[in-house]
Amino acid sequence: MKMDSDLLHSPAVGLAEEEEADMNDWKLPLAFMKKRHSEKIEGSKALAQSWRMKDRMKTVSVALVLCLNVGVDPPDVVKTSPCARLECWIDPLSMSPQKALETIGANLQKQYENWQPRARYKQSLDPTVDEVKKLCTSLRRNAKEERVLFHYNGHGVPRPTVNGEIWVFNKNYTQYIPLSIYDLQTWMGSPSIFVYDCSNAGIIVKSFKQFALQREQELEVAAINPSHPLAQMPLPPSMKNCIQLAACEASELLPMNPDLPADLFTSCLTTPIKIALRWFCMQKSAKLVPGVTLDLIEKIPGRLNDRRTPLGELNWIFTAITDTIAWNVLPRDLFQKLFRQDLLVASLFRNFLLAERIMRSYNCTPVSSPRLPPTYMHAMWQAWDLAVDICLSQLPTIIEEGTAFRHSPFFAEQLTAFQVWLTMGVENRNPPEQLPIVLQVLLSQVHRLRALDLLGRFLDLGPWAVSLALSVGIFPYVLKLLQSSARELRPLLVFIWAKILAVDSSCQADLVKDNGHKYFLSVLADNYMPAEHRTMAVFILAVIVNSYNTGQEACLQGNLIANCLEQLSDPHPLLRQWVAICLGRIWQNFDPARWCGVRDSAHEKLYTLLSDPIPEVRCAAVFALGTFVGNSAERTDHSTTIDHNVAMMLAQLINDGSPVVRKELVVALSHLVVQYESNFCTVALQFIEEEKNYTVPSPANTAELGNLTPVRDSPAIPRLRSVNSYTNIRTATTARNLNKSLQNLNLNEEGGPAAFSPGNLSTSSSASSTLGSPDNDEYILSFETIDKMRRVSSYSSLNSLIGVSFNSVYTQIWRVLLHLAADPFPEVSDLAMKVLNSIAYKATMNARPQRILDSGSLTQSAPASPTSKGTHIHQAGGSPPMPSTSSSSLTNEVPKPPAREQPATRPPYTPTLGGQAPHSHQFPRTRKMFDKGPEQAAEDGDEPGGHRNYISAALQTGLCDWSAKYFAQPVMKIPEEHDLESQVRMERQWRFLRNARVRRHSRSITQKGVSRLDDQIFINRNPGVPSVVKFHPFNTCIAVADKDSICFWDWEKGERLDYFYNGNPRYTRITAMEYLNGHDCSLLLTATDDGALRIWKNFADQKNPEMVTAWQGLSDMLPTTRGQPSTSAHSLARRVSIYLDRSKQGGAGMVVDWEQETGLLMTSGDVRVIRIWDTDREMKVQDIPTGADSCVTSLSCDSQRSLIVAGLGDGSVRVFDRRMGPNECRVMTYREHGAWVVKAHLQKETDGHIISVSVNGDVRFFEPRTPDSINVLQTVKGLTALDIHPQANLFACGSMNQFIAVYNANGDVISNIKYYDGFMGQRIGAISCLAFHPHWPHLAVGSNDYYMSIYSAEKRLR
């Protein structure tokens, strides 16, 4: 068989045609491929944010200790002549020694005051040991826990000793006295910073560390042994938080170059620009800058702190460069500690980098503790040299001629470098060096706009970029900018803040504290702002009010609710979504906001969003309404009425097409359940009683009767692949999806439904627990019980209840929850099970023999009057109300009302502590739960407290956090599928080429004409009886469904690829399958006869199959009466259908037809409507009434002509035009068949005909515009299956008489297949299903003997 593998290598023939087919594939929309389908709905893992300074500090006191002894040189240093003399830029020999000392001290203080003007400065000039002690202890006492600086200049005393001593003087200056560093540590305490400007300063740093270690050990000893003598002494302070800066290594002397100041290290630390310029002039390269002398440098105009002047600009550039070097070289935590924690420390360390550069050029290595990596060779110093060069070259003309100063291009160039990094870089790269400079540039109005733009683009790279920017220290800058009124900054600031809050929501408090929320409120209220920016503003506000009371209050006063309500109908979906989330969060547990919402009728305005075309928006609206009713404040009659109103609106979403919405719905209803717990407990007890005393007319009753294949002879069932769906679909062995082998027990022997719908709670809970389930849910109500309750509530006339319309809301909501507990999407049903069980547990715990059910207490909260499953809900759901088939007509017995006098006994069940129903002592007690309910006084004493917390805490969907992820991820990046180079795109291209080849190759075969179709190319025994088969349109995979599982085969290689469980309840079966997106990333849709649709991905490819989505496509599948035109035809139809197992639901099950071009899914079956779902919106778009009293057995549609053709069980074929209204859309009805229509097919061409076939074997051709058939062919009677090949004009019929006939368009039999090929030549079993391949001339046949075979045209053709 020449298939894909060969085709891929065959030379491209007829390229034009191939290209054309390709283009069509590119244009086809994809279904169920949005983020909500491919991702788990949960927030991103929060990154631990380390940018916030846990301990911001200030240096509040400074001790300036100068040991100069002017005029007397110390004995151990031989000075050169001439020698460096200047101290603090003063020549000490130019005045009397005492005056020099005082002037130098005063100058040093001024130099420090430039960096920290608010500190307390104390000078100690040529001091004694006592003076130093007194100074240090008094400064520490005043500083308390803050930092103290100790500056030591030892130019007039001997060098430090190896024993860890520095020198001071005696009173008369006749001796040098040693001062131990150990003592200095004791007096200074911690945190402190020490600056040592003396030769061999490195020795002090070493001694300091040794003493610090010694202290740690002493502290440990004292801690372990309190009787130790050390423990009696006052404990020495720990020196962990001390920082030291020393002028040189332990073995080095300070430079004595006469062109330099003597205190070079102090000059670098306190007057960096001055020394940097002098040093620049002393380099050889300075000769390239003509006319610049040391004198000229003194005359540079401007002030250091005025950035518009030459001196100020140099200072600013210097700050930016040193900050950048530090950020790029230091480890992050060290950078935070030294450069962001304390302003003075940060300045000293920035200047220390300069000291390292300058002093190393004189063979001196400054030392710091903590130690820094070497920075003196960093490339950014060249940028500094260039900036100095540009500034100095202008000096002569500025000073002499007064020309204007040209600003440095430094910042503009650095921004350009940053821009290059942003535009040219690859994904995984080192962070950009210029980030700290961007920060500095935010200070300048000239570059601010550009800097914010680039910063926004950087933050857009993802959460890592946001964390980096925060660690650089961007936060205070962008917070301050919110005070700016410049309109042009608004979009940029809103974008930047959205990025920051998406990654670190703890900033909400800072924003409110600085009134930042007002900025975003004004952006939201500004209708001239584009929708994207308003969306970001409302997202920021939603973060500000998220579980933060102060934020809620501030925004409530800022009129947030009215602002949001105005934007609810905005055309931009993301804005609508976030406006709803923001509303939901502002009134979450905040009653004033809820009442403000009530006054503005917020809930009514939100109702419109419940039918929004975008599922996420519907979801957000459900969330908002859920928190609206979920407030814990006391209820008034008014608020109860509102809650009921909201509840009934929400109930309409019971059959929404999106599981995300239904999950949110369960949570929203759970808030209501918590609020009105006592009422729900009463309803629950009523339903539990009802369920005990009632047997459901279960479809399973008739199920096994008609099944002609004996169940017990079924082959050993292979172990199903457990489906690792992210939805945690319970694997085939759990309580809900009982193991297949269990299902094969013949239920009739035990007496029908009783076997699988346990009559009382105890058996059901034990059944579910013995079967076990992954999360060990020991539920009171098992899935079976709930499912039975759900059906009881719709069949029984519940006439035992006193109908009080007011409280019927609770019954309705209970039914909605029962319905959701049977949801086809496991996450939805799990949540609903939790809510139901929580209440059932409560109700049964509280139902002690106090006869809760006497009629008196029931009037308080009696469920609604009977309807079929609650008409209210179903009318809301959009299907016509059904005639109420009361249970008695179905089972011929009148249901007995539950005996009133019997006390509701508590089931023998105690939840384990870790189980689903916690005991009271696990939770703090909340307010009285039974605020108005049965047996108020008696019950209150021992009700299991705190259960309300249990529901509300356990139940939440990750919707809001998941939606917030959008803002944390790159928004500006081209999505991968649009990136022509990406792998996704390449794979897609490959698939489209494959599709074009398959189409072309198969067309060439079918055009030649197929004269025979009996070459068996595949046969295998399927794990279950095939009930539906479906070829993949383009690869060699075929899906075969049995009752509740799907098997995938590779028909070319003959091997099984996958087999997994579909998850439908055991009284249902799969009746239809479709491949969605078959041209691209295929998904498989399965439809079961209870009206549920499930969509799967990752099948047949080594991965675990996952459920993408599931929903109730048809809500009211009913047992139906077949059309009965003639008795013989009817009896034949009966025989055939029994043969086919169709009697299970007495109808066609569910039939579907899929339209890839429009993304519409047509569904029908045992209902009176054709329901059209829009898969893009995941909602029902149309219900077309069939106008017949019989089921739909076949659907076929054509998007070009908007036509739908339906074959019905009464033999009629009806044509609908879906563009017309429900009353006039049926444009044609053909009643020529006398019996059940097996297949109705509408050819896709513009003038395509309708071909329909009934059980009696009459094939009729209709032209949609004429009222009568244009051709009739007669084939075999007793048809069980039929398919029509869309390309080759063939149709194949399978009959109950165990053969297949293949006909061509003229009605000639081209093949009759009766036996399997092979050694024994076994007879084919009764045909259960057959299907043609959409392109190749292949026919797949499934039969009741479990075999699955495929036939094709003769080999020579292929």
Side-chain angles (χ1 to χ4, degrees):
M1 174 75 225
K2 192 168 181 184
M3 263 316 293
D4 284 17
S5 46
D6 314 348
L7 276 179
L8 292 175
H9 307 299
S10 64
V13 204
L15 253 175
E17 202 173 302
E18 182 172 315
E19 291 302 312
E20 173 194 46
D22 248 351
M23 281 322 293
N24 284 342
D25 277 353
W26 285 110
K27 285 178 198 152
L28 278 179
L30 290 173
F32 301 113
M33 299 289 280
K34 303 261 189 333
K35 274 212 165 96
R36 62 177 178 269
H37 303 119
S38 57
E39 294 181 350
K40 196 167 180 184
I41 305 291
E42 62 183 12
S44 40
K45 300 270 175 291
L47 297 168
Q49 291 299 340
S50 55
W51 65 273
R52 252 177 218 285
M53 288 278 95
K54 288 170 201 58
D55 39 4
R56 279 204 91 90
M57 293 179 97
K58 276 219 282 295
T59 302
V60 290
S61 307
V62 179
L64 304 175
V65 178
L66 302 178
C67 300
L68 290 177
N69 199 4
V70 177
V72 182
D73 285 342
D76 59 348
V77 177
V78 181
K79 293 199 170 174
T80 58
S81 177
C83 184
R85 281 214 307 262
L86 298 181
E87 300 275 356
C88 295
W89 304 103
I90 286 168
D91 182 350
L93 303 181
S94 62
M95 49 189 95
S96 71
Q98 189 53 34
K99 180 140 189 270
L101 187 60
E102 286 164 7
T103 318
I104 291 168
N107 247 15
L108 180 60
Q109 181 170 332
K110 278 201 198 89
Q111 285 170 203
Y112 267 112
E113 279 173 341
N114 282 331
W115 303 103
Q116 174 62 299
R118 286 203 281 282
R120 293 179 50 157
Y121 290 91
K122 283 279 171 60
Q123 301 173 24
S124 187
L125 310 175
D126 291 356
T128 62
V129 173
D130 282 347
E131 285 167 358
V132 174
K133 178 177 182 178
K134 209 166 114 196
L135 169 73
C136 294
T137 46
S138 83
L139 287 180
R140 168 50 62 203
R141 208 173 33 249
N142 290 322
K144 299 191 175 68
E145 300 297 308
E146 296 286 11
R147 189 176 271 129
V148 179
L149 185 143
F150 180 86
H151 178 101
Y152 173 71
N153 176 331
H155 295 175
V157 288
R159 293 179 280 177
T161 67
V162 248
N163 302 335
E165 293 154 335
I166 54 176
W167 299 91
V168 287
F169 303 95
N170 65 354
K171 276 213 167 63
N172 335 336
Y173 298 103
T174 54
Q175 282 178 310
Y176 298 114
I177 308 288
L179 186 157
S180 167
I181 293 294
Y182 187 90
D183 293 338
L184 184 63
Q185 287 179 340
T186 310
W187 305 331
M188 284 291 290
S190 157
S192 303
I193 175 168
F194 299 85
V195 177
Y196 315 119
D197 188 347
C198 58
S199 294
N200 303 77
I203 292 183
I204 314 178
V205 178
K206 282 185 185 146
S207 313
F208 191 99
K209 285 183 184 160
Q210 284 161 357
F211 288 139
L213 213 69
Q214 186 183 328
R215 278 166 193 282
E216 294 300 321
Q217 288 158 356
E218 286 170 12
L219 284 170
E220 278 167 28
V221 169
I224 296 166
N225 182 2
S227 59
H228 194 277
L230 274 173
Q232 316 311 255
M233 294 158 60
L235 285 184
S238 160
M239 288 288 129
K240 283 215 172 99
N241 268 337
C242 289
I243 297 169
Q244 303 174 77
L245 297 173
C248 55
E249 285 281 13
S251 55
E252 294 173 350
L253 293 178
L254 294 177
M256 299 185 193
N257 182 335
D259 299 333
L260 297 169
D263 60 349
L264 178 59
F265 187 56
T266 303
S267 303
C268 289
L269 292 184
T270 57
T271 54
I273 303 299
K274 189 167 183 177
I275 190 75
L277 294 175
R278 289 182 78 85
W279 182 72
F280 179 81
C281 288
M282 291 160 65
Q283 307 306 303
K284 291 194 180 72
S285 55
K287 297 195 176 69
L288 298 171
V289 188
V292 174
T293 59
L294 286 174
D295 300 338
L296 204 60
I297 290 173
E298 299 294 327
K299 297 180 187 160
I300 292 189
R303 292 195 317 282
L304 278 174
N305 52 9
D306 182 355
R307 290 193 299 267
R308 289 164 305 196
T309 61
L311 196 57
E313 185 174 76
L314 274 178
N315 188 32
W316 184 28
I317 293 174
F318 176 78
T319 306
I321 283 176
T322 45
D323 214 36
T324 303
I325 293 174
W327 187 72
N328 283 301
V329 174
L330 269 61
R332 292 274 173 269
D333 51 345
L334 190 59
F335 175 80
Q336 289 291 335
K337 183 178 165 190
L338 301 181
F339 285 81
R340 290 291 180 266
Q341 202 178 49
D342 177 330
L343 286 176
L344 182 60
V345 172
S347 306
L348 289 176
F349 266 94
R350 279 201 294 271
N351 302 345
F352 178 79
L353 301 185
L354 175 73
E356 189 192 10
R357 184 182 192 212
I358 291 181
M359 296 186 76
R360 270 181 182 266
S361 67
Y362 299 107
N363 300 321
C364 216
T365 315
V367 181
S368 72
S369 160
R371 228 193 159 82
L372 305 187
T375 55
Y376 64 101
M377 294 294 285
H378 197 279
M380 284 305 282
W381 284 120
Q382 295 172 351
W384 166 245
D385 291 340
L386 177 64
V388 172
D389 195 315
I390 290 172
C391 176
L392 293 184
S393 61
Q394 299 181 51
L395 262 190
T397 54
I398 290 175
I399 291 169
E400 288 155 23
E401 301 160 27
T403 52
F405 168 63
R406 288 193 316 282
H407 287 287
S408 166
F410 170 79
F411 287 108
E413 285 163 1
Q414 294 298 322
L415 285 180
T416 305
F418 186 53
Q419 193 169 351
V420 168
W421 184 93
L422 281 171
T423 44
M424 304 299 178
V426 287
E427 286 289 318
N428 304 320
R429 52 195 151 151
N430 292 330
E433 288 186 352
Q434 298 79 17
L435 202 54
I437 295 177
V438 177
L439 190 72
Q440 289 290 331
V441 174
L442 292 177
L443 298 168
S444 131
Q445 281 190 319
V446 185
H447 303 291
R448 187 174 290 155
L449 205 61
R450 182 177 176 209
L452 282 172
D453 178 42
L454 293 173
L455 179 62
R457 282 167 53 187
F458 174 67
L459 297 181
D460 192 48
L461 295 175
W464 64 270
V466 177
S467 298
L468 264 185
L470 288 171
S471 76
V472 170
I474 191 170
F475 189 79
Y477 291 77
V478 284
L479 189 58
K480 189 105 176 80
L481 280 174
L482 292 180
Q483 295 166 16
S484 148
S485 55
R487 275 190 75 86
E488 66 276 11
L489 298 185
R490 280 182 162 192
L492 299 169
L493 283 171
V494 167
F495 184 83
I496 287 168
W497 271 103
K499 289 284 167 194
I500 292 175
L501 287 170
V503 174
D504 185 357
S505 55
S506 68
C507 304
Q508 52 182 187
D510 307 80
L511 278 171
V512 177
K513 203 168 79 192
D514 280 30
N515 277 330
H517 62 285
K518 293 184 176 165
Y519 189 84
F520 302 108
L521 281 165
S522 66
V523 172
L524 177 62
D526 180 355
N527 287 324
Y528 294 107
M529 284 301 266
E532 299 87 275
H533 299 144
R534 279 178 293 147
T535 305
M536 286 173 190
V538 80
F539 162 68
I540 293 165
L541 291 162
V543 175
I544 290 174
V545 297
N546 188 17
S547 341
Y548 179 51
N549 205 267
T550 324
Q552 288 173 314
E553 278 170 21
C555 290
L556 179 62
Q557 283 164 6
N559 219 2
L560 174 63
I561 292 187
N563 264 347
C564 283
L565 292 174
E566 277 169 25
Q567 319 254 352
L568 275 179
S569 52
D570 192 275
H572 191 64
L574 201 59
L575 177 55
R576 296 197 299 272
Q577 179 184 341
W578 275 102
V579 162
I581 290 177
C582 186
L583 285 170
R585 280 178 171 179
I586 191 171
W587 54 51
Q588 191 162 17
N589 303 324
F590 183 53
D591 222 42
R594 179 181 193 265
W595 282 110
C596 175
V598 171
R599 284 193 296 278
D600 289 349
S601 44
H603 52 294
E604 288 165 17
K605 291 174 184 166
L606 277 165
Y607 292 161
T608 52
L609 293 192
L610 294 179
S611 52
D612 197 273
I614 308 292
E616 286 88 344
V617 178
R618 299 201 292 276
C619 214
V622 174
F623 165 75
L625 289 168
T627 56
F628 189 73
V629 295
N631 262 337
S632 50
E634 290 303 317
R635 287 289 183 250
T636 60
D637 286 351
H638 180 198
S639 56
T640 304
T641 315
I642 290 173
D643 289 348
H644 288 181
N645 191 331
V646 171
M648 295 326 288
M649 285 308 287
L650 286 173
Q652 300 182 18
L653 292 176
I654 183 169
N655 288 322
D656 193 278
S658 171
V660 197
V661 177
R662 297 196 304 276
K663 248 164 61 183
E664 206 57 60
L665 174 64
V666 178
V667 174
L669 294 178
S670 77
H671 292 317
L672 197 81
V673 168
V674 171
Q675 282 304 328
Y676 299 96
E677 200 168 65
S678 52
N679 311 59
F680 278 103
C681 283
T682 315
V683 173
L685 279 175
Q686 191 57 46
F687 270 80
I688 291 169
E689 278 302 301
E690 194 77 29
E691 186 263 351
K692 280 185 199 170
N693 298 310
Y694 195 78
T695 39
V696 179
S698 154
N701 252 1
T702 47
E704 313 298 333
L705 293 169
N707 188 346
L708 299 186
T709 317
V711 182
R712 37 199 64 202
D713 308 345
S714 70
I717 293 202
R719 169 93 182 86
L720 287 174
R721 268 179 71 179
S722 68
V723 180
N724 157 25
S725 146
Y726 66 68
T727 53
N728 171 21
I729 194 166
R730 305 186 197 70
T731 49
T733 51
T734 63
R736 171 172 170 192
N737 315 326
L738 294 138
N739 190 318
K740 299 265 301 219
S741 50
L742 263 162
Q743 296 179 19
N744 286 326
L745 296 169
N746 197 331
L747 296 176
N748 300 323
E749 296 177 0
E750 279 90 33
F756 94 141
S757 295
N760 61 13
L761 279 176
S762 51
T763 52
S764 70
S765 69
S766 63
S768 69
S769 51
T770 47
L771 281 162
S773 69
D775 27 18
N776 185 20
D777 321 327
E778 291 206 0
Y779 280 151
I780 287 196
L781 303 175
S782 67
F783 177 72
E784 270 67 32
T785 316
I786 285 183
D787 197 50
K788 185 175 160 198
M789 253 190 217
R790 179 172 67 105
R791 299 206 306 270
V792 168
S793 79
S794 56
Y795 288 122
S796 86
S797 49
L798 287 172
N799 46 17
S800 53
L801 299 180
I802 302 122
V804 179
S805 60
F806 166 72
N807 278 325
S808 68
V809 172
Y810 306 118
T811 319
Q812 299 277 23
I813 296 305
W814 182 260
R815 286 202 186 118
V816 169
L817 286 166
L818 286 172
H819 187 92
L820 288 165
D823 196 275
F825 199 71
E827 285 183 25
V828 179
S829 63
D830 283 352
L831 279 178
M833 293 276 280
K834 269 192 185 142
V835 179
L836 290 171
N837 272 290
S838 181
I839 287 298
Y841 173 67
K842 268 299 182 24
T844 49
M845 290 302 268
N846 289 324
R848 310 264 157 61
Q850 282 143 330
R851 290 193 11 215
I852 278 197
L853 288 179
D854 40 345
S855 48
S857 69
L858 257 176
T859 48
Q860 189 66 43
S861 52
S865 50
T867 53
S868 68
K869 221 198 235 180
T871 326
H872 189 115
I873 293 168
H874 287 290
Q875 281 169 328
S879 50
M882 302 304 160
S884 175
T885 15
S886 96
S887 48
S888 43
S889 63
L890 289 166
T891 51
N892 306 325
E893 64 165 342
V894 182
K896 295 184 283 293
R900 266 297 144 79
E901 302 319 303
Q902 241 178 346
T905 47
R906 183 178 156 197
Y909 158 77
T910 317
T912 49
L913 257 177
Q916 284 297 322
H919 287 298
S920 50
H921 61 257
Q922 274 179 282
F923 288 105
R925 285 200 41 174
T926 52
R927 70 187 170 89
K928 209 162 66 174
M929 289 177 198
F930 278 51
D931 24 353
K932 43 173 193 287
E935 316 292 349
Q936 211 166 2
E939 282 301 326
D940 193 56
D942 47 5
E943 34 107 346
H947 209 78
R948 122 189 342 244
N949 304 21
Y950 156 64
I951 294 196
S952 48
L955 286 194
Q956 49 189 12
T957 63
L959 168 87
C960 300
D961 298 336
W962 174 76
S963 307
K965 255 200 322 204
Y966 167 83
F967 295 99
Q969 301 310 323
V971 180
M972 305 183 202
K973 198 172 131 195
I974 323 177
E976 218 181 347
E977 55 270 21
H978 297 158
D979 176 0
L980 297 176
E981 303 293 312
S982 70
Q983 182 169 350
V984 175
R985 178 83 176 198
M986 299 289 188
E987 287 172 3
R988 179 161 289 170
Q989 216 157 352
W990 178 88
R991 284 192 288 265
F992 292 173
L993 283 169
R994 168 202 69 185
N995 301 352
R997 289 185 183 122
V998 167
R999 289 190 187 104
R1000 199 182 57 251
H1001 196 88
S1002 59
R1003 199 179 299 123
S1004 67
I1005 297 174
T1006 50
Q1007 277 167 354
K1008 289 176 197 159
V1010 179
S1011 54
R1012 288 181 59 197
L1013 197 85
D1014 53 5
D1015 184 2
Q1016 181 179 301
I1017 58 170
F1018 170 92
I1019 181 163
N1020 240 312
R1021 189 180 168 93
N1022 203 55
V1025 175
S1027 61
V1028 188
V1029 291
K1030 196 83 188 170
F1031 276 105
H1032 187 284
F1034 299 107
N1035 66 24
T1036 58
C1037 170
I1038 185 167
V1040 184
D1042 49 56
K1043 186 168 165 288
D1044 56 11
S1045 302
I1046 301 140
C1047 189
F1048 289 90
W1049 297 89
D1050 180 323
W1051 48 262
E1052 196 176 52
K1053 299 188 181 138
E1055 59 189 41
R1056 190 169 88 187
L1057 302 171
D1058 211 339
Y1059 184 45
F1060 67 88
Y1061 178 56
N1062 184 49
N1064 40 306
R1066 67 188 122 149
Y1067 53 81
T1068 62
R1069 63 202 168 100
I1070 299 173
T1071 58
M1073 282 195 299
E1074 286 285 348
Y1075 277 105
L1076 313 187
N1077 310 338
H1079 64 295
D1080 197 351
C1081 305
S1082 309
L1083 302 172
L1084 185 80
L1085 172 134
T1086 62
T1088 47
D1089 58 3
D1090 57 351
L1093 295 160
R1094 293 173 177 80
I1095 290 182
W1096 295 91
K1097 68 175 178 185
N1098 294 350
F1099 43 80
D1101 62 355
Q1102 270 55 83
K1103 294 189 211 152
N1104 273 340
E1106 281 183 27
M1107 188 186 281
V1108 179
T1109 179
W1111 75 100
Q1112 199 64 35
L1114 296 166
S1115 36
D1116 319 283
M1117 294 287 263
L1118 0 144
T1120 118
T1121 47
R1122 278 208 169 71
Q1124 300 171 345
S1126 71
T1127 44
S1128 62
H1130 177 57
S1131 60
L1132 178 66
R1134 259 235 42 76
R1135 271 182 19 244
V1136 168
S1137 70
I1138 287 175
Y1139 208 76
L1140 274 181
D1141 233 5
R1142 283 240 170 93
S1143 59
K1144 285 187 182 179
Q1145 283 285 58
M1150 187 173 187
V1151 291
V1152 299
D1153 196 24
W1154 167 241
E1155 230 177 53
Q1156 187 77 47
E1157 308 79 34
T1158 55
L1160 295 179
L1161 180 72
M1162 321 295 157
T1163 59
S1164 194
D1166 301 320
V1167 286
R1168 304 289 173 264
V1169 291
I1170 296 169
R1171 182 162 291 174
I1172 304 179
W1173 289 90
D1174 181 336
T1175 56
D1176 186 45
R1177 301 189 238 170
E1178 297 192 49
M1179 62 195 296
K1180 181 187 78 179
V1181 282
Q1182 205 177 349
D1183 267 355
I1184 298 177
T1186 55
D1189 195 24
S1190 128
C1191 59
V1192 175
T1193 60
S1194 171
L1195 277 179
S1196 179
C1197 55
D1198 178 3
S1199 61
Q1200 303 293 305
R1201 296 180 282 174
S1202 299
L1203 291 183
I1204 302 175
V1205 171
L1208 278 85
D1210 62 2
S1212 64
V1213 174
R1214 295 164 188 244
V1215 184
F1216 303 92
D1217 186 328
R1218 58 172 186 250
R1219 291 166 298 192
M1220 298 161 81
N1223 297 329
E1224 58 269 8
C1225 60
R1226 189 169 83 207
V1227 288
M1228 193 67 82
T1229 308
Y1230 301 106
R1231 301 186 188 273
E1232 298 186 19
H1233 291 294
W1236 181 278
V1237 176
V1238 178
K1239 174 103 179 168
H1241 171 74
L1242 173 61
Q1243 293 174 326
K1244 291 277 188 278
E1245 301 85 61
T1246 38
D1247 50 357
H1249 293 161
I1250 298 166
I1251 308 170
S1252 66
V1253 191
S1254 78
V1255 175
N1256 294 337
D1258 51 331
V1259 180
R1260 295 177 185 269
F1261 294 80
F1262 303 99
E1263 148 66 52
R1265 285 175 285 256
T1266 58
D1268 300 308
S1269 54
I1270 48 177
N1271 195 3
V1272 184
L1273 308 170
Q1274 185 57 45
T1275 65
V1276 268
K1277 272 200 170 0
L1279 266 189
T1280 55
L1282 174 130
D1283 198 23
I1284 297 164
H1285 196 294
Q1287 315 284 334
N1289 283 336
L1290 300 173
F1291 54 95
C1293 312
S1295 85
M1296 53 199 277
N1297 306 329
Q1298 297 179 294
F1299 73 90
I1300 303 153
V1302 184
Y1303 298 83
N1304 62 15
N1306 309 328
D1308 309 330
V1309 178
I1310 58 169
S1311 292
N1312 247 328
I1313 305 166
K1314 295 190 178 175
Y1315 300 95
Y1316 294 122
D1317 284 1
F1319 177 63
M1320 299 297 285
Q1322 186 182 341
R1323 180 77 196 246
I1324 283 184
I1327 311 303
S1328 60
C1329 53
L1330 48 80
F1332 273 112
H1333 191 288
H1335 301 289
W1336 302 107
H1338 296 340
L1339 174 67
V1341 178
S1343 61
N1344 271 2
D1345 57 6
Y1346 291 86
Y1347 276 98
M1348 174 65 231
S1349 47
I1350 298 179
Y1351 300 91
S1352 185
E1354 309 127 278
K1355 270 215 170 62
R1356 62 187 176 77
L1357 276 177
R1358 310 194 314 266

